[in-house]
Amino acid sequence: MYCVRNVTEDLYWIGANDRRLALFENIHPIPRGVSYNAYVLTDEKTVLFDTADWSACRQFLENLEHVLDGRDLDYMVINHMEPDHGASLEEVLLRYPNVTVISTQKAFMLMRQFGFHIDGHTLDEVHEGDTRCFGAHTVTFVAAPMVHWPEAMVTFDVTDGVLFAADAFGSFGALDGKLFNDEVSFDRDWIDDARRYYTNIVGKYGPHVQLLLKKAGAIVDKIKYICPLHGPVWRNDFGYLIDKYQHWSTYEPEEKGVMIAYASMYGNTEAAANALAAKLCEKGMTNVVMYDVSGTHVSYLISETFRLSHVVLASVTYNLGIYPVMHNYLMDMKALNLQKRTFAIIENGSWACKSGDLMEKFIQEELKGMTVLGSRLSLASSLQEEKAGELDALADAILASMAEETK
Ligand code: FEO
């Protein structure tokens, strides 16, 4: 049975959901599933915008057949060739061999690399600013390299103001019937998944996202719909979404607040983290969250680190080094180009406390634009009462740096 929705009178969402997949890209947990969005325009010509992951291929093809209603498919625009969107491309070619494939030179190269038999079909290589007319609708193509792969482009339907945004403006989370942003409570139910999607999938490429935002800014008054390849379609409140992207792509925190990420073997470092959290709240900073790095997938840690201004790293010393999962978290920050955060450090070690120096060295030498506060809480096995003054000083240093940033 087909499952489609109209976006406009002649534009249809024909995507599909995957709630069985545990790990997106085989690495990021998606407990709420994910949608693979594809769209069909039924103009004088019929036009498919992207395909779907192999796991969703059957539903996608059924949807496509239903919307075409016996018509042939004239064009297939591939904005992004990563297999979560391009994997069903060859199935489309087999069923609609007369289709003209419109995409970028790099995307055609990737199609061949993935083993798709595109040669012999009509291929239309497009470049920035090219246009194609399908009847009433004219589209223009905009290069979007590294958002999130090098071949990516976005397509803008200038007739109806529809931006086919590829990976930009997408989110983890399957669509439960509700397609549009104004059919859900995005800020309540979706923003955390949207942030986790952006920061872990595209977060590294902030400067490239900035370039795309500048291009989109030039036509923002003409955009009526944003159709991403994952998650809800946007048809209003663009300012909310663009503001989030502006923060994320410039690595500016969304909120003043403290994330305490702790690595604790027997609960003693966790106890110190708890004591600091309570102290911060007592002093009036209640936007505090705590995460056990051992029990929290790093994609959630990264997402929260993009959200908040201050990060406390509390780590035991392990094999004379940083606790491995804490180190992995730091490595992910580096990989994703995270910048502009203020760090405070709690270290623990029963006989050779090394984790504090090593974490500070990593932050100073491997990350960009970070600040490490001078106050540090050092523990020998556990937090004792005589350290109450140092704990208090650490909380004060965090609050003082927040006040300083507000000036
Ligand atoms: Fe959703 Fe970069 O693919």
Side-chain angles (χ1 to χ4, degrees), residues 271-300:
N274 275 322
L276 178 64
K279 188 64 76 180
L280 286 165
C281 292
E282 194 175 81
K283 290 175 182 285
M285 169 39 69
T286 53
N287 192 12
V288 176
V289 290
M290 292 181 60
Y291 291 96
D292 179 351
V293 296
S294 296
T296 311
H297 189 274
V298 71
S299 65
Y300 292 87

CSV table of all heavy atoms in Angstrom, one decimal, residues 271-300:
chain,number,residue,atom,x,y,z
A,271,ALA,N,30.6,11.5,42.1
A,271,ALA,CA,30.1,12.2,43.3
A,271,ALA,C,30.6,13.6,43.3
A,271,ALA,O,29.9,14.6,43.6
A,271,ALA,CB,30.7,11.5,44.6
A,272,ALA,N,31.9,13.8,42.8
A,272,ALA,CA,32.4,15.2,42.7
A,272,ALA,C,31.6,16.0,41.6
A,272,ALA,O,31.3,17.2,41.8
A,272,ALA,CB,33.9,15.1,42.3
A,273,ALA,N,31.3,15.3,40.5
A,273,ALA,CA,30.5,16.0,39.5
A,273,ALA,C,29.1,16.4,40.1
A,273,ALA,O,28.6,17.5,39.8
A,273,ALA,CB,30.3,15.0,38.3
A,274,ASN,N,28.5,15.5,40.8
A,274,ASN,CA,27.2,15.8,41.5
A,274,ASN,C,27.4,17.0,42.4
A,274,ASN,O,26.5,17.9,42.4
A,274,ASN,CB,26.7,14.6,42.3
A,274,ASN,CG,26.0,13.6,41.5
A,274,ASN,OD1,25.2,14.0,40.6
A,274,ASN,ND2,26.2,12.3,41.8
A,275,ALA,N,28.4,17.0,43.2
A,275,ALA,CA,28.6,18.1,44.1
A,275,ALA,C,28.8,19.5,43.4
A,275,ALA,O,28.3,20.5,43.8
A,275,ALA,CB,29.9,17.9,45.0
A,276,LEU,N,29.5,19.4,42.2
A,276,LEU,CA,29.7,20.7,41.5
A,276,LEU,C,28.4,21.1,40.9
A,276,LEU,O,28.0,22.3,40.9
A,276,LEU,CB,30.7,20.4,40.3
A,276,LEU,CG,30.9,21.7,39.4
A,276,LEU,CD1,31.5,22.8,40.2
A,276,LEU,CD2,31.8,21.3,38.2
A,277,ALA,N,27.6,20.2,40.4
A,277,ALA,CA,26.3,20.5,39.8
A,277,ALA,C,25.4,21.2,40.8
A,277,ALA,O,24.8,22.2,40.6
A,277,ALA,CB,25.6,19.3,39.2
A,278,ALA,N,25.4,20.6,42.0
A,278,ALA,CA,24.6,21.2,43.1
A,278,ALA,C,25.1,22.6,43.5
A,278,ALA,O,24.3,23.5,43.7
A,278,ALA,CB,24.6,20.3,44.3
A,279,LYS,N,26.4,22.7,43.5
A,279,LYS,CA,27.0,24.0,43.9
A,279,LYS,C,26.6,25.1,42.8
A,279,LYS,O,26.2,26.2,43.2
A,279,LYS,CB,28.5,23.8,44.0
A,279,LYS,CG,29.2,25.0,44.5
A,279,LYS,CD,28.9,25.4,45.9
A,279,LYS,CE,29.5,24.4,46.9
A,279,LYS,NZ,29.1,24.8,48.3
A,280,LEU,N,26.7,24.7,41.5
A,280,LEU,CA,26.3,25.7,40.5
A,280,LEU,C,24.8,26.1,40.6
A,280,LEU,O,24.5,27.3,40.5
A,280,LEU,CB,26.5,25.0,39.1
A,280,LEU,CG,28.0,24.9,38.7
A,280,LEU,CD1,28.1,23.9,37.5
A,280,LEU,CD2,28.6,26.2,38.3
A,281,CYS,N,24.0,25.1,40.9
A,281,CYS,CA,22.5,25.4,41.0
A,281,CYS,C,22.3,26.3,42.2
A,281,CYS,O,21.5,27.2,42.2
A,281,CYS,CB,21.7,24.1,41.1
A,281,CYS,SG,21.7,23.2,39.5
A,282,GLU,N,23.0,26.0,43.3
A,282,GLU,CA,22.9,26.8,44.5
A,282,GLU,C,23.3,28.2,44.3
A,282,GLU,O,22.7,29.1,44.8
A,282,GLU,CB,23.8,26.2,45.6
A,282,GLU,CG,23.6,26.6,47.0
A,282,GLU,CD,24.5,25.8,47.9
A,282,GLU,OE1,25.7,26.2,48.0
A,282,GLU,OE2,24.0,24.9,48.5
A,283,LYS,N,24.2,28.4,43.4
A,283,LYS,CA,24.7,29.8,43.1
A,283,LYS,C,23.9,30.4,41.9
A,283,LYS,O,24.2,31.5,41.5
A,283,LYS,CB,26.2,29.7,42.7
A,283,LYS,CG,27.1,29.4,43.8
A,283,LYS,CD,28.6,29.2,43.4
A,283,LYS,CE,29.5,28.9,44.5
A,283,LYS,NZ,29.8,30.0,45.4
A,284,GLY,N,22.8,29.7,41.5
A,284,GLY,CA,21.9,30.3,40.5
A,284,GLY,C,22.0,29.9,39.1
A,284,GLY,O,21.2,30.2,38.3
A,285,MET,N,23.0,29.1,38.7
A,285,MET,CA,23.1,28.5,37.4
A,285,MET,C,22.4,27.2,37.3
A,285,MET,O,23.0,26.2,37.7
A,285,MET,CB,24.5,28.5,36.9
A,285,MET,CG,24.8,27.7,35.6
A,285,MET,SD,23.6,27.9,34.3
A,285,MET,CE,23.9,29.6,33.8
A,286,THR,N,21.1,27.1,36.9
A,286,THR,CA,20.4,25.9,36.9
A,286,THR,C,20.4,25.2,35.6
A,286,THR,O,19.8,24.1,35.4
A,286,THR,CB,19.0,26.1,37.4
A,286,THR,OG1,18.4,27.1,36.6
A,286,THR,CG2,18.9,26.5,38.9
A,287,ASN,N,20.9,25.8,34.6
A,287,ASN,CA,21.0,25.2,33.2
A,287,ASN,C,22.2,24.3,33.2
A,287,ASN,O,23.2,24.5,32.6
A,287,ASN,CB,21.0,26.2,32.1
A,287,ASN,CG,20.8,25.6,30.8
A,287,ASN,OD1,20.4,24.4,30.7
A,287,ASN,ND2,21.1,26.3,29.7
A,288,VAL,N,22.1,23.2,34.0
A,288,VAL,CA,23.2,22.2,34.2
A,288,VAL,C,22.7,20.8,33.8
A,288,VAL,O,21.6,20.4,34.2
A,288,VAL,CB,23.6,22.2,35.7
A,288,VAL,CG1,24.7,21.1,35.9
A,288,VAL,CG2,24.1,23.6,36.1
A,289,VAL,N,23.5,20.1,33.0
A,289,VAL,CA,23.1,18.7,32.6
A,289,VAL,C,24.3,17.9,32.9
A,289,VAL,O,25.5,18.3,32.8
A,289,VAL,CB,22.7,18.6,31.2
A,289,VAL,CG1,21.3,19.2,30.9
A,289,VAL,CG2,23.7,19.1,30.2
A,290,MET,N,24.1,16.6,33.3
A,290,MET,CA,25.2,15.7,33.6
A,290,MET,C,25.1,14.5,32.7
A,290,MET,O,24.0,14.0,32.5
A,290,MET,CB,25.1,15.3,35.1
A,290,MET,CG,25.4,16.4,36.1
A,290,MET,SD,25.3,15.8,37.8
A,290,MET,CE,26.6,14.5,37.8
A,291,TYR,N,26.2,14.0,32.2
A,291,TYR,CA,26.3,12.8,31.4
A,291,TYR,C,27.4,11.9,31.9
A,291,TYR,O,28.5,12.4,32.0
A,291,TYR,CB,26.4,13.1,29.9
A,291,TYR,CG,25.2,13.8,29.3
A,291,TYR,CD1,25.2,15.2,29.2
A,291,TYR,CD2,24.1,13.1,28.9
A,291,TYR,CE1,24.0,15.8,28.7
A,291,TYR,CE2,23.0,13.7,28.4
A,291,TYR,CZ,23.0,15.0,28.3
A,291,TYR,OH,21.8,15.6,27.8
A,292,ASP,N,27.1,10.7,32.0
A,292,ASP,CA,28.1,9.6,32.3
A,292,ASP,C,28.6,9.2,30.9
A,292,ASP,O,27.9,8.7,30.1
A,292,ASP,CB,27.4,8.4,33.0
A,292,ASP,CG,28.4,7.3,33.2
A,292,ASP,OD1,29.6,7.4,32.7
A,292,ASP,OD2,28.0,6.3,33.9
A,293,VAL,N,29.9,9.5,30.6
A,293,VAL,CA,30.4,9.3,29.3
A,293,VAL,C,30.4,7.8,29.0
A,293,VAL,O,30.4,7.4,27.8
A,293,VAL,CB,31.8,9.9,29.0
A,293,VAL,CG1,31.7,11.4,29.1
A,293,VAL,CG2,32.8,9.3,30.0
A,294,SER,N,30.5,6.9,30.0
A,294,SER,CA,30.5,5.5,29.8
A,294,SER,C,29.1,5.0,29.4
A,294,SER,O,29.0,4.0,28.7
A,294,SER,CB,30.9,4.8,31.1
A,294,SER,OG,32.2,5.1,31.4
A,295,GLY,N,28.1,5.7,29.8
A,295,GLY,CA,26.7,5.2,29.5
A,295,GLY,C,26.0,6.0,28.5
A,295,GLY,O,24.8,5.8,28.3
A,296,THR,N,26.7,7.0,27.9
A,296,THR,CA,26.0,7.9,26.9
A,296,THR,C,26.7,7.8,25.6
A,296,THR,O,27.9,8.0,25.5
A,296,THR,CB,26.0,9.3,27.4
A,296,THR,OG1,25.6,9.4,28.8
A,296,THR,CG2,25.1,10.2,26.6
A,297,HIS,N,25.9,7.5,24.5
A,297,HIS,CA,26.6,7.4,23.2
A,297,HIS,C,27.2,8.8,22.9
A,297,HIS,O,26.6,9.8,23.1
A,297,HIS,CB,25.6,7.0,22.1
A,297,HIS,CG,26.3,6.7,20.8
A,297,HIS,ND1,26.5,7.7,19.9
A,297,HIS,CD2,26.7,5.6,20.3
A,297,HIS,CE1,27.1,7.2,18.8
A,297,HIS,NE2,27.3,5.9,19.1
A,298,VAL,N,28.4,8.8,22.3
A,298,VAL,CA,29.1,10.0,22.1
A,298,VAL,C,28.3,11.0,21.2
A,298,VAL,O,28.5,12.2,21.3
A,298,VAL,CB,30.5,9.7,21.5
A,298,VAL,CG1,30.4,9.2,20.1
A,298,VAL,CG2,31.4,10.9,21.6
A,299,SER,N,27.4,10.5,20.3
A,299,SER,CA,26.6,11.4,19.5
A,299,SER,C,25.7,12.3,20.3
A,299,SER,O,25.5,13.5,20.0
A,299,SER,CB,25.7,10.6,18.5
A,299,SER,OG,24.8,9.9,19.2
A,300,TYR,N,25.3,11.8,21.5
A,300,TYR,CA,24.5,12.7,22.4
A,300,TYR,C,25.4,13.7,23.1
A,300,TYR,O,25.0,14.8,23.3
A,300,TYR,CB,23.8,11.8,23.4
A,300,TYR,CG,22.7,10.9,22.9
A,300,TYR,CD1,22.9,9.7,22.4
A,300,TYR,CD2,21.3,11.4,22.8
A,300,TYR,CE1,21.9,8.9,21.9
A,300,TYR,CE2,20.3,10.6,22.3
A,300,TYR,CZ,20.6,9.3,21.8
A,300,TYR,OH,19.6,8.5,21.3
